Amino acid sequence: MEKEIIRVAKKPGKCPVCGSVRIANYIYGIPEFTTELDRHVDDGRFILGGCCITDDDPLYRCTGCKTDFYRVKP
Ligand SMILES: [Zn+2]
């Protein structure tokens, strides 16, 4: 089954799929690990997206239904 891709111009206030307000930001590259970052990852506020960056990576993820949100294509 092909996954539906949802594109957003900016971080959604709530998930258009399940209505959750818990939307996490993806972080790409190698972030500087701090206890604060760790806590935010534990909180579900950030998701580590890894260091393999393409030109179409998701920017945000709903932590409720795990839907990824992609940047609107120009
Ligand atoms: Zn959702």
Side-chain angles (χ1 to χ4, degrees), residues 15-20 23 62-67 69:
C15 174
V17 178
C18 72
S20 170
I23 310 293
C62 171
T63 59
C65 64
K66 310 287 191 234
T67 298
F69 301 106

Side-chain angles (χ1 to χ4, degrees), residues 28-39:
Y28 290 101
I30 310 291
E32 192 182 330
F33 280 96
T34 61
T35 50
E36 197 184 355
L37 177 61
D38 260 359
R39 203 168 60 231

